[in-house]
Amino acid sequence: MRSDHRLTLYELNRLVREVIECEMPNEYWVEAELSECRENHGHCFMSLIQKDERSATPIAKADARCWASKWMLIRPYFERTTGQALRPGIKVLLKVYAQFHEAYGFSWIVTDIDPTYTLGDMARKRQEIIRQLKEEGVFDLQKELRLPLFCQRIAVISSETAAGYGDFCRQLADNPYGFQFQTQLFPAIMQGEGVSQSIIAALEEIYSWNVECGMWNEKCFDAIVIIRGGGATSDMSGFDTLELAENVANFPLPIITGIGHDRDESILDMVSHTRVKTPTAAAALLIDQLKAVLDTIEGAQSLITHYAQQKLASLNAQLATLSEAIPRLFSIVKTRQEARLDNTEQRIITAVERRMTSEHHRLEMLEEKVKTLDPALLLKRGYSITLKDGKAVRDPKALQQGDEIETRLANGTIHSTVN
């Protein structure tokens, strides 16, 4: 083995550096996905990856670095434009040049990042999620729910230390109408890694609470408010996941979002019942909704009072008219009734007189008839009556020997004994 031209590692690495600097002096725009992204002493260290579109298998990897002098300019511009921070999983378009260091090896040095490329990829993913939600028929399910008229029991999903949560509670408590609200916090991560899963876990806990209250017949809560405030506007990707959108869209209570960002709506905002910009706006929405109910009730009360007063006035007028008419009507009715009674009395007297005359005549006829049937008259004509024990004897066979009988004649009585 020949060793005439041996090189030290440093010499070999320096040679590689010279070749790279000579052969690759330009900057290049490169598309890649971030598999790692971290800051250290103001510098940003990235791991880049490219995956096969069909199998998602990594086919290329490289390290990249953005020095602090560039990173302090690139980072805020990227976050302001895209609404999120650089994080693993997003696609980026980087402007880089090759650098090889004898001690640290090869790396791509980042001099610029095009946020519009990332926005395009994010938009594509968002549109794909929206399309899938619409195909599942759940995209507008929350819009079909109605906020209860008296929406006062509120489940709040937020970070316990978030300034926006405190603002929300204070605004509800200090409302100018004296409305009473009951809030229950379900803590969740609202920024950084784990946002989506944390909110889903809070929704599951709220669902369990309401089931325990009586299988949704007597709900513990009237609505849910998801709020985020007081933090950076970057890293909103956690609100754009399919899993979170499906959970929110299918939830049986109205969900109001106020996650406090200036860019376009997140998918969470799109599928929620109502989207407002900030936590205080969410509180104002609940207060205004209850105020509208109060105004409706007071309006109905005024309308009922108005109609009742109108009806009462009309009835009073009718009563006054009747009061004036009653004496006159009573006089007319009295006169008519007196005349009717007089007529009736006269008819009764006439009818009684007729009946008495008729009955008197009938009695006279009966008297004459009775007179014609008087036995005394028969006796005067020569007839006699034979009695036994005070009863008339009509058949001799009814008598027996020794019976005592009485014979009445016109001028006396004969007592006999049957022999």
Side-chain angles (χ1 to χ4, degrees):
M1 182 178 190
R2 296 187 61 181
S3 58
D4 298 346
H5 300 289
R6 289 179 298 181
L7 298 173
T8 65
L9 179 59
Y10 177 80
E11 290 173 334
L12 181 59
N13 284 354
R14 186 177 63 180
L15 179 61
V16 172
R17 187 185 72 177
E18 291 173 354
V19 170
I20 289 176
E21 289 177 352
C22 180
E23 296 298 326
M24 301 182 67
N26 300 323
E27 292 183 323
Y28 306 92
W29 285 101
V30 59
E31 299 175 353
E33 180 181 323
L34 292 180
S35 63
E36 185 180 350
C37 184
R38 57 186 175 84
E39 291 188 29
N40 190 11
H41 299 295
H43 310 296
C44 182
F45 296 87
M46 311 173 196
S47 293
L48 308 180
I49 192 172
Q50 181 181 348
K51 299 177 182 178
D52 183 88
E53 293 183 357
R54 290 172 294 181
S55 64
T57 302
I59 57 176
K61 294 182 180 181
D63 292 328
R65 302 173 185 177
C66 186
W67 305 123
S69 59
K70 289 286 187 181
W71 182 241
M72 64 183 299
L73 300 175
I74 291 174
R75 174 184 172 179
Y77 176 65
F78 181 86
E79 292 180 353
R80 187 168 59 251
T81 304
T82 63
Q84 66 173 312
L86 284 170
R87 58 175 178 81
I90 68 172
K91 290 187 177 181
V92 290
L93 180 61
L94 309 173
K95 190 175 186 180
V96 300
Y97 65 88
Q99 183 181 76
F100 189 88
H101 190 276
E102 291 84 344
Y104 303 111
F106 180 82
S107 180
W108 293 105
I109 306 302
V110 179
T111 61
D112 199 3
I113 301 177
D114 185 356
T116 59
Y117 176 84
T118 303
L119 278 175
D121 184 66
M122 289 166 53
R124 180 187 61 78
K125 289 181 179 178
R126 281 161 52 88
Q127 289 303 315
E128 177 62 24
I129 292 174
I130 292 170
R131 181 193 63 78
Q132 186 168 341
L133 291 170
K134 289 183 177 180
E135 286 183 355
E136 293 173 3
V138 301
F139 189 79
D140 293 317
L141 283 183
Q142 274 280 314
K143 303 295 189 297
E144 297 174 6
L145 300 177
R146 295 184 61 183
L147 282 173
L149 289 179
F150 300 94
C151 189
Q152 295 171 278
R153 299 170 298 176
I154 312 300
V156 183
I157 299 177
S158 180
S159 171
E160 190 169 6
T161 59
Y165 171 61
D167 294 340
F168 174 81
C169 292
R170 278 191 297 273
Q171 184 152 344
L172 286 184
D174 299 337
N175 71 84
Y177 311 107
F179 298 145
Q180 297 297 313
F181 292 90
Q182 297 84 45
T183 60
Q184 173 68 41
L185 175 66
F186 293 84
I189 299 171
M190 303 303 289
Q191 187 167 330
E193 295 295 326
V195 169
S196 178
Q197 289 302 319
S198 183
I199 295 176
I200 291 172
L203 289 173
E204 291 174 349
E205 186 178 358
I206 293 170
Y207 185 85
S208 299
W209 271 54
N210 261 22
V211 169
E212 291 174 3
C213 281
M215 295 301 292
W216 295 90
N217 293 326
E218 296 179 2
K219 303 180 182 65
C220 291
F221 304 107
D222 300 315
I224 298 173
V225 173
I226 301 176
I227 52 176
R228 170 187 184 273
T233 58
S234 62
D235 199 9
M236 300 296 295
S237 58
F239 302 104
D240 282 338
T241 68
L242 176 62
E243 187 178 9
L244 176 59
E246 289 176 331
N247 273 271
V248 169
N250 286 287
F251 206 80
L253 286 180
I255 296 178
I256 301 168
T257 58
I259 53 181
H261 56 95
D262 295 325
R263 70 184 182 91
D264 294 338
E265 289 180 307
S266 66
I267 295 177
L268 171 62
D269 290 323
M270 294 178 185
V271 299
S272 66
H273 180 277
T274 305
R275 181 249 179 169
V276 294
K277 186 176 179 181
T278 62
T280 53
L285 172 70
L286 293 171
I287 295 169
D288 291 344
Q289 196 261 353
L290 204 56
K291 179 61 168 60
V293 173
L294 177 61
D295 290 343
T296 301
I297 293 173
E298 290 179 343
Q301 182 181 7
S302 298
L303 192 61
I304 292 171
T305 302
H306 173 70
Y307 281 122
Q309 290 174 342
Q310 278 190 332
K311 187 65 174 178
L312 186 60
S314 175
L315 292 174
N316 284 333
Q318 293 179 19
L319 183 60
T321 302
L322 288 173
S323 298
E324 295 175 357
I326 283 173
R328 178 174 54 82
L329 292 173
F330 179 77
S331 176
I332 294 172
V333 170
K334 181 181 177 182
T335 301
R336 288 177 179 175
Q337 291 301 324
E338 287 176 347
R340 186 177 299 166
L341 287 173
D342 290 342
N343 291 334
T344 302
E345 182 181 5
Q346 188 62 42
R347 286 199 300 271
I348 291 172
I349 292 172
T350 303
V352 168
E353 289 176 347
R354 287 176 183 172
R355 183 65 178 265
M356 290 181 68
T357 301
S358 174
E359 292 300 319
H360 181 72
H361 179 67
R362 193 165 72 87
L363 286 173
E364 289 178 345
M365 291 180 66
L366 288 173
E367 184 179 3
E368 290 297 324
K369 187 175 181 181
V370 168
K371 287 179 178 180
T372 60
L373 295 175
D374 187 357
L377 294 176
L378 293 175
L379 293 177
K380 288 180 179 180
R381 293 175 187 173
Y383 293 97
S384 65
I385 300 174
T386 300
L387 302 174
K388 180 182 179 299
D389 298 330
K391 295 181 180 179
V393 178
R394 291 183 175 84
D395 188 353
K397 295 178 180 179
L399 300 175
Q400 295 179 2
Q401 186 177 358
D403 286 343
E404 292 183 359
I405 59 175
E406 179 183 343
T407 303
R408 291 183 181 179
L409 304 172
N411 294 319
T413 300
I414 300 173
H415 292 278
S416 306
T417 300
V418 178
N419 291 323

